[in-house]
Amino acid sequence: MQAANTGKRTVISIRPVFDSDRPKVYLETYGCQMNVNDSEVVVAIMQKAGYSVTKNIGDANLILINTCSVRDNAEQRVWGRLEYFRQEKKKRPNVSIGLIGCMAERLKESLLENNIVDVVVGPDAYRELPKLVEKTESGQKGINVLLSRDETYSDISPVRLDKTGVTAFISIMRGCNNVCAFCVVPYTRGGERSRNPETVLRELKELSDNGYREVTLLGQNVDSYSWKDVTFAGLLAMVAESAPEMRVRFSTSHPRDMTDDVLKTMAKYGNICNYIHLPVQSGSSAILQSMNRKYTREEYLQRIKTIREIMPDCAVSTDIIAGFCGETQKDHEDTLSLMREVGYDFAYMFKYSERPNTKAARHFKDDVPEDVKIRRLTEIIELQSELSLTSHKKDVGSIVEVLVEDTSKRSENDLCGRTPQNKTVVFPKGNNKIGDLVKIKITDCSQATLKGFAISGLLT
Ligand code: 5AD
Ligand code: SF4
């Protein structure tokens, strides 16, 4: 970690070091936001051990791949990449390859059998990475897949790998105690543990000092955050108060655990974005029960009602799984009707993918035929397209506040950013720049984006 003297105060640099004299690590990340943030912790650990970062695989002394196991296709993608790395290793036999994250935890030693991978490290053992990589220099393999009850990496300042320096993640907890029947996460990431709020606030200050404008607090189940007498609602309030110039988001909430206190805290602080990702998984109470989600359709809908009572303008998104074990056509129709009833602004939608050793794999048959799963998923996606368009159409004519995050992918002359409700907005650049908070009049929309023009300069 290096400190730059900027006159009055010392600011910790949280950006990557690119230095030609040091050994270089190239890192690829698959999967969720938590993995993205874990990669930032891994880079901090490797930089401290003397490495610099490279974006060019051909320059790397060490290639790391941070992996996801949540669905089979996520793992297949990693296997494909490993074949590519095998070619790289043929060209440069001295390059070391490390497979880290959820797949490392799930598949352990077996990953070392293919003569591609040299180092295997699970999500709780990243501090050991430099030592294990060192072993490979003498031709040995390195592995550590121990899960921990208390590792939160809370003393490590993640090295921010995002391009623009506007939005960042802070992990507030790790692991999950819920054991949803379909989910491999409790096995790959271990039990739940929360992080000391002081260390969360320290990291928040680093972000604020480095000009970041938005933070997303991350956890597999943020609502079960608990540190002494600090609840998630309490932490959220502390974060919102400590960085009033920053936008605050969080993910992921669990419908059973989300409290009214969290909703009231969101309503109280203007800088907490009115957006909740509340995975439902299925609209059928019978399927929810076999998924071990611990809420019914009715209870979920009641949560949505309370959200809307407390924050009428709050956007809600969800995760849905099509074709879970035993799902009937009626169960599927219940999912479609729940989607309509809630009117989701956005959704992540998946086909059920059996994961070895989960409750579902041990106790149920993966009995919905593949063609039926595909048809149901298609219907879910088509319905969500309609719902997303309806949600966007409601915004046409209104004025929204957009935090500018990047130049538009389609045109150099346009900027893009998000509203507090997490809707993407594209607009002509004018005098605005990345990191600005801009008022935009919405004039048009598609299912994926809102379009408009800036009606003011900066709001702050
Ligand atoms: N099959 C399909 N989707 C899954 N998810 C988790 N496990 C599985 C699985 N085995 C989805 C859930 C979860 C999201 C992160 O991934 O919807 O909320
Ligand atoms: Fe998996 Fe359920 Fe935990 Fe989410 S809450 S990580 S779906 S076990």
Side-chain angles (χ1 to χ4, degrees), residues 360-410:
R362 283 181 281 126
H363 299 299
F364 307 132
K365 242 179 106 188
D366 183 9
D367 56 358
V368 177
E370 185 64 12
D371 59 326
V372 177
K373 278 186 189 170
I374 292 172
R375 179 181 54 72
R376 289 181 187 167
L377 180 62
T378 308
E379 286 172 17
I380 287 168
I381 292 172
E382 279 169 2
L383 172 56
Q384 186 53 48
S385 300
E386 276 172 41
L387 297 176
S388 297
L389 184 61
T390 306
S391 156
H392 279 166
K393 275 185 177 162
K394 281 190 208 145
D395 293 325
V396 175
S398 69
I399 293 164
V400 296
E401 212 179 80
V402 175
L403 175 61
V404 184
E405 287 175 37
D406 210 344
T407 304
S408 157
K409 279 192 206 99
R410 296 228 176 122

Short mmCIF file of all heavy atoms in Angstrom, two decimals, residues 360-410:
data_model
loop_
_atom_site.label_atom_id
_atom_site.label_comp_id
_atom_site.label_asym_id
_atom_site.label_seq_id
_atom_site.Cartn_x
_atom_site.Cartn_y
_atom_site.Cartn_z
N ALA A 360 -30.94 -30.01 -2.36
CA ALA A 360 -31.79 -30.44 -3.48
C ALA A 360 -31.17 -31.65 -4.18
O ALA A 360 -31.86 -32.60 -4.54
CB ALA A 360 -32.00 -29.30 -4.46
N ALA A 361 -29.84 -31.60 -4.38
CA ALA A 361 -29.17 -32.72 -5.08
C ALA A 361 -29.27 -33.99 -4.25
O ALA A 361 -29.40 -35.09 -4.79
CB ALA A 361 -27.72 -32.37 -5.35
N ARG A 362 -29.25 -33.85 -2.92
CA ARG A 362 -29.29 -35.04 -2.06
C ARG A 362 -30.71 -35.58 -1.90
O ARG A 362 -30.89 -36.78 -1.80
CB ARG A 362 -28.69 -34.72 -0.68
CG ARG A 362 -27.15 -34.69 -0.73
CD ARG A 362 -26.53 -34.41 0.62
NE ARG A 362 -26.58 -32.99 0.94
CZ ARG A 362 -27.09 -32.48 2.05
NH1 ARG A 362 -27.64 -33.25 2.95
NH2 ARG A 362 -27.07 -31.18 2.25
N HIS A 363 -31.70 -34.69 -1.88
CA HIS A 363 -33.05 -35.15 -1.51
C HIS A 363 -34.08 -35.17 -2.64
O HIS A 363 -35.10 -35.83 -2.51
CB HIS A 363 -33.60 -34.30 -0.36
CG HIS A 363 -32.76 -34.38 0.87
ND1 HIS A 363 -32.55 -35.56 1.54
CD2 HIS A 363 -32.08 -33.43 1.55
CE1 HIS A 363 -31.77 -35.34 2.58
NE2 HIS A 363 -31.46 -34.04 2.60
N PHE A 364 -33.85 -34.41 -3.69
CA PHE A 364 -34.87 -34.32 -4.75
C PHE A 364 -34.31 -34.76 -6.09
O PHE A 364 -33.10 -34.72 -6.30
CB PHE A 364 -35.39 -32.88 -4.91
CG PHE A 364 -35.87 -32.23 -3.65
CD1 PHE A 364 -35.44 -30.95 -3.32
CD2 PHE A 364 -36.75 -32.88 -2.79
CE1 PHE A 364 -35.88 -30.32 -2.16
CE2 PHE A 364 -37.19 -32.26 -1.63
CZ PHE A 364 -36.75 -30.99 -1.31
N LYS A 365 -35.28 -35.09 -6.99
CA LYS A 365 -34.86 -35.41 -8.36
C LYS A 365 -34.95 -34.16 -9.22
O LYS A 365 -35.91 -33.39 -9.11
CB LYS A 365 -35.81 -36.47 -8.92
CG LYS A 365 -35.06 -37.75 -9.27
CD LYS A 365 -35.98 -38.79 -9.79
CE LYS A 365 -35.77 -38.91 -11.29
NZ LYS A 365 -36.74 -39.76 -11.94
N ASP A 366 -33.94 -33.94 -10.04
CA ASP A 366 -33.94 -32.82 -11.00
C ASP A 366 -34.86 -33.26 -12.14
O ASP A 366 -34.41 -33.69 -13.19
CB ASP A 366 -32.50 -32.59 -11.46
CG ASP A 366 -32.35 -31.41 -12.41
OD1 ASP A 366 -33.33 -30.65 -12.57
OD2 ASP A 366 -31.26 -31.26 -12.99
N ASP A 367 -36.19 -33.16 -11.90
CA ASP A 367 -37.14 -33.89 -12.74
C ASP A 367 -37.89 -33.04 -13.77
O ASP A 367 -38.75 -33.55 -14.46
CB ASP A 367 -38.14 -34.64 -11.85
CG ASP A 367 -38.87 -33.69 -10.89
OD1 ASP A 367 -38.56 -32.47 -10.90
OD2 ASP A 367 -39.74 -34.16 -10.13
N VAL A 368 -37.60 -31.76 -13.85
CA VAL A 368 -38.26 -30.97 -14.90
C VAL A 368 -37.42 -31.12 -16.17
O VAL A 368 -36.23 -30.78 -16.17
CB VAL A 368 -38.38 -29.48 -14.49
CG1 VAL A 368 -38.99 -28.66 -15.61
CG2 VAL A 368 -39.18 -29.34 -13.20
N PRO A 369 -38.01 -31.67 -17.25
CA PRO A 369 -37.22 -31.91 -18.46
C PRO A 369 -36.60 -30.61 -18.99
O PRO A 369 -37.19 -29.53 -18.85
CB PRO A 369 -38.24 -32.47 -19.45
CG PRO A 369 -39.40 -32.92 -18.63
CD PRO A 369 -39.41 -32.09 -17.39
N GLU A 370 -35.43 -30.75 -19.61
CA GLU A 370 -34.68 -29.60 -20.10
C GLU A 370 -35.53 -28.70 -21.01
O GLU A 370 -35.52 -27.47 -20.86
CB GLU A 370 -33.44 -30.11 -20.85
CG GLU A 370 -32.47 -29.06 -21.33
CD GLU A 370 -31.80 -28.24 -20.21
OE1 GLU A 370 -31.90 -28.62 -19.02
OE2 GLU A 370 -31.21 -27.20 -20.55
N ASP A 371 -36.31 -29.31 -21.93
CA ASP A 371 -37.10 -28.47 -22.87
C ASP A 371 -38.17 -27.68 -22.10
O ASP A 371 -38.50 -26.55 -22.46
CB ASP A 371 -37.70 -29.31 -24.01
CG ASP A 371 -38.61 -30.41 -23.48
OD1 ASP A 371 -38.31 -30.96 -22.40
OD2 ASP A 371 -39.63 -30.71 -24.14
N VAL A 372 -38.70 -28.27 -21.03
CA VAL A 372 -39.71 -27.56 -20.23
C VAL A 372 -39.04 -26.41 -19.46
O VAL A 372 -39.57 -25.29 -19.39
CB VAL A 372 -40.43 -28.54 -19.26
CG1 VAL A 372 -41.43 -27.79 -18.38
CG2 VAL A 372 -41.12 -29.65 -20.05
N LYS A 373 -37.86 -26.69 -18.90
CA LYS A 373 -37.12 -25.62 -18.20
C LYS A 373 -36.88 -24.45 -19.15
O LYS A 373 -37.08 -23.29 -18.79
CB LYS A 373 -35.74 -26.13 -17.74
CG LYS A 373 -35.73 -26.91 -16.46
CD LYS A 373 -34.28 -27.20 -16.07
CE LYS A 373 -34.22 -28.17 -14.92
NZ LYS A 373 -32.86 -28.66 -14.64
N ILE A 374 -36.46 -24.78 -20.38
CA ILE A 374 -36.14 -23.72 -21.34
C ILE A 374 -37.40 -22.92 -21.68
O ILE A 374 -37.38 -21.69 -21.71
CB ILE A 374 -35.49 -24.31 -22.62
CG1 ILE A 374 -34.10 -24.87 -22.27
CG2 ILE A 374 -35.39 -23.27 -23.75
CD1 ILE A 374 -33.43 -25.65 -23.37
N ARG A 375 -38.51 -23.64 -21.90
CA ARG A 375 -39.76 -22.93 -22.24
C ARG A 375 -40.19 -22.02 -21.10
O ARG A 375 -40.54 -20.85 -21.30
CB ARG A 375 -40.87 -23.94 -22.57
CG ARG A 375 -42.19 -23.25 -22.90
CD ARG A 375 -43.34 -24.19 -23.21
NE ARG A 375 -43.63 -25.21 -22.21
CZ ARG A 375 -44.21 -24.98 -21.01
NH1 ARG A 375 -44.55 -23.76 -20.66
NH2 ARG A 375 -44.44 -25.98 -20.19
N ARG A 376 -40.14 -22.55 -19.88
CA ARG A 376 -40.56 -21.73 -18.73
C ARG A 376 -39.65 -20.51 -18.56
O ARG A 376 -40.12 -19.40 -18.30
CB ARG A 376 -40.58 -22.58 -17.44
CG ARG A 376 -41.72 -23.58 -17.47
CD ARG A 376 -41.76 -24.41 -16.19
NE ARG A 376 -42.77 -25.46 -16.33
CZ ARG A 376 -42.89 -26.49 -15.51
NH1 ARG A 376 -42.05 -26.63 -14.49
NH2 ARG A 376 -43.83 -27.39 -15.70
N LEU A 377 -38.35 -20.74 -18.70
CA LEU A 377 -37.42 -19.61 -18.56
C LEU A 377 -37.70 -18.56 -19.64
O LEU A 377 -37.72 -17.36 -19.35
CB LEU A 377 -35.96 -20.09 -18.65
CG LEU A 377 -34.91 -18.99 -18.53
CD1 LEU A 377 -34.98 -18.29 -17.17
CD2 LEU A 377 -33.49 -19.54 -18.75
N THR A 378 -37.97 -19.02 -20.85
CA THR A 378 -38.27 -18.08 -21.94
C THR A 378 -39.50 -17.25 -21.61
O THR A 378 -39.52 -16.03 -21.80
CB THR A 378 -38.48 -18.85 -23.27
OG1 THR A 378 -37.37 -19.70 -23.46
CG2 THR A 378 -38.62 -17.91 -24.46
N GLU A 379 -40.53 -17.92 -21.07
CA GLU A 379 -41.76 -17.18 -20.72
C GLU A 379 -41.47 -16.14 -19.62
O GLU A 379 -42.01 -15.03 -19.65
CB GLU A 379 -42.85 -18.16 -20.26
CG GLU A 379 -43.45 -18.92 -21.42
CD GLU A 379 -44.40 -20.04 -20.97
OE1 GLU A 379 -44.84 -20.04 -19.79
OE2 GLU A 379 -44.69 -20.92 -21.80
N ILE A 380 -40.64 -16.53 -18.68
CA ILE A 380 -40.29 -15.62 -17.58
C ILE A 380 -39.53 -14.41 -18.13
O ILE A 380 -39.81 -13.27 -17.78
CB ILE A 380 -39.47 -16.39 -16.50
CG1 ILE A 380 -40.39 -17.34 -15.73
CG2 ILE A 380 -38.76 -15.44 -15.55
CD1 ILE A 380 -39.68 -18.35 -14.85
N ILE A 381 -38.57 -14.69 -19.03
CA ILE A 381 -37.77 -13.59 -19.60
C ILE A 381 -38.65 -12.66 -20.42
O ILE A 381 -38.54 -11.43 -20.34
CB ILE A 381 -36.60 -14.17 -20.45
CG1 ILE A 381 -35.58 -14.86 -19.54
CG2 ILE A 381 -35.92 -13.06 -21.28
CD1 ILE A 381 -34.49 -15.64 -20.26
N GLU A 382 -39.56 -13.26 -21.22
CA GLU A 382 -40.44 -12.42 -22.05
C GLU A 382 -41.33 -11.54 -21.18
O GLU A 382 -41.52 -10.35 -21.46
CB GLU A 382 -41.28 -13.30 -22.98
CG GLU A 382 -40.48 -13.72 -24.19
CD GLU A 382 -41.18 -14.80 -25.02
OE1 GLU A 382 -42.31 -15.20 -24.67
OE2 GLU A 382 -40.56 -15.24 -26.00
N LEU A 383 -41.87 -12.12 -20.12
CA LEU A 383 -42.72 -11.32 -19.23
C LEU A 383 -41.91 -10.19 -18.59
O LEU A 383 -42.36 -9.04 -18.53
CB LEU A 383 -43.35 -12.22 -18.15
CG LEU A 383 -44.12 -11.48 -17.05
CD1 LEU A 383 -45.23 -10.60 -17.63
CD2 LEU A 383 -44.72 -12.48 -16.05
N GLN A 384 -40.69 -10.51 -18.15
CA GLN A 384 -39.88 -9.47 -17.50
C GLN A 384 -39.56 -8.34 -18.49
O GLN A 384 -39.51 -7.18 -18.09
CB GLN A 384 -38.61 -10.06 -16.88
CG GLN A 384 -37.81 -9.03 -16.08
CD GLN A 384 -38.66 -8.31 -15.03
OE1 GLN A 384 -39.39 -8.93 -14.27
NE2 GLN A 384 -38.57 -6.97 -14.98
N SER A 385 -39.35 -8.69 -19.77
CA SER A 385 -39.09 -7.65 -20.77
C SER A 385 -40.25 -6.65 -20.79
O SER A 385 -40.06 -5.44 -20.82
CB SER A 385 -38.94 -8.23 -22.17
OG SER A 385 -37.88 -9.12 -22.16
N GLU A 386 -41.48 -7.21 -20.78
CA GLU A 386 -42.67 -6.33 -20.76
C GLU A 386 -42.68 -5.47 -19.50
O GLU A 386 -42.95 -4.27 -19.55
CB GLU A 386 -43.95 -7.18 -20.70
CG GLU A 386 -44.47 -7.69 -22.00
CD GLU A 386 -45.62 -8.68 -21.73
OE1 GLU A 386 -46.46 -8.41 -20.83
OE2 GLU A 386 -45.66 -9.73 -22.40
N LEU A 387 -42.40 -6.13 -18.35
CA LEU A 387 -42.47 -5.39 -17.07
C LEU A 387 -41.41 -4.30 -17.01
O LEU A 387 -41.67 -3.19 -16.52
CB LEU A 387 -42.32 -6.36 -15.89
CG LEU A 387 -43.40 -7.42 -15.73
CD1 LEU A 387 -43.06 -8.37 -14.58
CD2 LEU A 387 -44.78 -6.79 -15.49
N SER A 388 -40.20 -4.61 -17.52
CA SER A 388 -39.13 -3.61 -17.50
C SER A 388 -39.50 -2.42 -18.39
O SER A 388 -39.26 -1.27 -18.03
CB SER A 388 -37.81 -4.22 -18.00
OG SER A 388 -37.39 -5.24 -17.14
N LEU A 389 -40.11 -2.74 -19.54
CA LEU A 389 -40.52 -1.64 -20.44
C LEU A 389 -41.60 -0.79 -19.76
O LEU A 389 -41.55 0.44 -19.79
CB LEU A 389 -41.02 -2.22 -21.76
CG LEU A 389 -41.38 -1.20 -22.84
CD1 LEU A 389 -40.16 -0.36 -23.22
CD2 LEU A 389 -41.94 -1.90 -24.09
N THR A 390 -42.58 -1.43 -19.13
CA THR A 390 -43.64 -0.70 -18.42
C THR A 390 -43.02 0.20 -17.35
O THR A 390 -43.39 1.38 -17.22
CB THR A 390 -44.62 -1.69 -17.73
OG1 THR A 390 -45.08 -2.59 -18.71
CG2 THR A 390 -45.78 -0.97 -17.08
N SER A 391 -42.06 -0.35 -16.61
CA SER A 391 -41.41 0.42 -15.55
C SER A 391 -40.70 1.64 -16.13
O SER A 391 -40.78 2.75 -15.61
CB SER A 391 -40.45 -0.50 -14.79
OG SER A 391 -39.44 0.23 -14.18
N HIS A 392 -39.99 1.43 -17.25
CA HIS A 392 -39.26 2.54 -17.87
C HIS A 392 -40.21 3.60 -18.45
O HIS A 392 -39.95 4.79 -18.37
CB HIS A 392 -38.32 2.01 -18.96
CG HIS A 392 -37.04 1.47 -18.40
ND1 HIS A 392 -36.17 0.69 -19.11
CD2 HIS A 392 -36.49 1.60 -17.16
CE1 HIS A 392 -35.13 0.38 -18.34
NE2 HIS A 392 -35.31 0.92 -17.16
N LYS A 393 -41.32 3.11 -19.03
CA LYS A 393 -42.27 4.06 -19.65
C LYS A 393 -42.82 5.04 -18.62
O LYS A 393 -43.09 6.20 -18.94
CB LYS A 393 -43.42 3.30 -20.32
CG LYS A 393 -43.07 2.84 -21.73
CD LYS A 393 -44.28 2.19 -22.38
CE LYS A 393 -43.99 1.79 -23.82
NZ LYS A 393 -44.97 0.79 -24.30
N LYS A 394 -42.97 4.56 -17.39
CA LYS A 394 -43.49 5.44 -16.32
C LYS A 394 -42.55 6.62 -16.07
O LYS A 394 -42.96 7.65 -15.56
CB LYS A 394 -43.65 4.64 -15.02
CG LYS A 394 -44.90 3.80 -14.99
CD LYS A 394 -45.09 3.23 -13.58
CE LYS A 394 -45.84 1.92 -13.65
NZ LYS A 394 -45.42 0.95 -12.65
N ASP A 395 -41.26 6.44 -16.39
CA ASP A 395 -40.28 7.50 -16.12
C ASP A 395 -40.22 8.55 -17.24
O ASP A 395 -39.62 9.61 -17.06
CB ASP A 395 -38.88 6.89 -15.93
CG ASP A 395 -38.81 6.05 -14.66
OD1 ASP A 395 -39.48 6.42 -13.68
OD2 ASP A 395 -38.11 5.03 -14.66
N VAL A 396 -40.77 8.21 -18.40
CA VAL A 396 -40.69 9.17 -19.51
C VAL A 396 -41.46 10.44 -19.13
O VAL A 396 -42.59 10.36 -18.65
CB VAL A 396 -41.23 8.54 -20.83
CG1 VAL A 396 -41.27 9.58 -21.95
CG2 VAL A 396 -40.36 7.35 -21.24
N GLY A 397 -40.82 11.58 -19.32
CA GLY A 397 -41.44 12.86 -18.94
C GLY A 397 -40.97 13.35 -17.58
O GLY A 397 -41.14 14.52 -17.24
N SER A 398 -40.36 12.47 -16.79
CA SER A 398 -39.95 12.91 -15.45
C SER A 398 -38.48 13.36 -15.45
O SER A 398 -37.76 13.19 -16.43
CB SER A 398 -40.15 11.78 -14.44
OG SER A 398 -39.23 10.75 -14.71
N ILE A 399 -38.10 13.95 -14.32
CA ILE A 399 -36.71 14.39 -14.16
C ILE A 399 -36.04 13.49 -13.13
O ILE A 399 -36.58 13.28 -12.04
CB ILE A 399 -36.66 15.87 -13.71
CG1 ILE A 399 -37.18 16.75 -14.84
CG2 ILE A 399 -35.24 16.28 -13.31
CD1 ILE A 399 -37.53 18.15 -14.40
N VAL A 400 -34.91 12.91 -13.50
CA VAL A 400 -34.24 11.96 -12.60
C VAL A 400 -32.82 12.45 -12.31
O VAL A 400 -32.26 13.25 -13.07
CB VAL A 400 -34.19 10.54 -13.20
CG1 VAL A 400 -35.59 9.97 -13.35
CG2 VAL A 400 -33.45 10.51 -14.53
N GLU A 401 -32.27 11.91 -11.20
CA GLU A 401 -30.92 12.29 -10.80
C GLU A 401 -29.97 11.16 -11.20
O GLU A 401 -30.15 10.03 -10.75
CB GLU A 401 -30.92 12.42 -9.29
CG GLU A 401 -30.01 13.45 -8.73
CD GLU A 401 -30.15 13.46 -7.22
OE1 GLU A 401 -29.57 12.60 -6.55
OE2 GLU A 401 -30.87 14.34 -6.71
N VAL A 402 -28.99 11.48 -12.02
CA VAL A 402 -28.12 10.42 -12.54
C VAL A 402 -26.68 10.64 -12.09
O VAL A 402 -26.14 11.73 -12.23
CB VAL A 402 -28.18 10.41 -14.10
CG1 VAL A 402 -27.18 9.41 -14.68
CG2 VAL A 402 -29.59 10.07 -14.56
N LEU A 403 -26.08 9.60 -11.54
CA LEU A 403 -24.65 9.63 -11.25
C LEU A 403 -23.93 9.09 -12.49
O LEU A 403 -24.13 7.94 -12.89
CB LEU A 403 -24.32 8.76 -10.03
CG LEU A 403 -22.83 8.63 -9.71
CD1 LEU A 403 -22.20 9.99 -9.40
CD2 LEU A 403 -22.61 7.68 -8.54
N VAL A 404 -23.12 9.95 -13.10
CA VAL A 404 -22.48 9.57 -14.36
C VAL A 404 -21.33 8.60 -14.09
O VAL A 404 -20.42 8.90 -13.33
CB VAL A 404 -21.95 10.81 -15.12
CG1 VAL A 404 -21.38 10.40 -16.47
CG2 VAL A 404 -23.06 11.84 -15.28
N GLU A 405 -21.41 7.43 -14.72
CA GLU A 405 -20.41 6.38 -14.45
C GLU A 405 -19.45 6.15 -15.59
O GLU A 405 -18.35 5.64 -15.39
CB GLU A 405 -21.13 5.06 -14.14
CG GLU A 405 -21.79 5.08 -12.79
CD GLU A 405 -22.59 3.82 -12.52
OE1 GLU A 405 -22.18 2.74 -12.94
OE2 GLU A 405 -23.66 3.96 -11.91
N ASP A 406 -19.85 6.46 -16.82
CA ASP A 406 -18.98 6.10 -17.95
C ASP A 406 -19.46 6.80 -19.22
O ASP A 406 -20.55 7.39 -19.25
CB ASP A 406 -19.05 4.57 -18.15
CG ASP A 406 -17.75 4.02 -18.73
OD1 ASP A 406 -16.94 4.83 -19.25
OD2 ASP A 406 -17.54 2.80 -18.66
N THR A 407 -18.63 6.64 -20.26
CA THR A 407 -19.08 7.05 -21.59
C THR A 407 -19.97 5.93 -22.11
O THR A 407 -19.74 4.77 -21.80
CB THR A 407 -17.84 7.21 -22.51
OG1 THR A 407 -16.96 8.13 -21.88
CG2 THR A 407 -18.21 7.72 -23.89
N SER A 408 -20.98 6.29 -22.90
CA SER A 408 -21.88 5.26 -23.43
C SER A 408 -21.10 4.31 -24.35
O SER A 408 -20.20 4.73 -25.07
CB SER A 408 -23.01 5.95 -24.20
OG SER A 408 -23.56 5.06 -25.13
N LYS A 409 -21.48 3.02 -24.29
CA LYS A 409 -20.79 2.03 -25.15
C LYS A 409 -21.06 2.34 -26.62
O LYS A 409 -20.25 2.06 -27.49
CB LYS A 409 -21.31 0.63 -24.84
CG LYS A 409 -20.66 0.04 -23.61
CD LYS A 409 -20.98 -1.46 -23.51
CE LYS A 409 -20.90 -1.90 -22.07
NZ LYS A 409 -22.19 -1.98 -21.38
N ARG A 410 -22.23 2.90 -26.91
CA ARG A 410 -22.63 3.10 -28.31
C ARG A 410 -22.05 4.35 -28.93
O ARG A 410 -21.85 4.41 -30.13
CB ARG A 410 -24.16 3.18 -28.40
CG ARG A 410 -24.83 1.90 -28.00
CD ARG A 410 -25.87 1.49 -29.03
NE ARG A 410 -26.42 0.20 -28.66
CZ ARG A 410 -27.70 -0.02 -28.44
NH1 ARG A 410 -28.56 0.97 -28.57
NH2 ARG A 410 -28.12 -1.21 -28.12
#
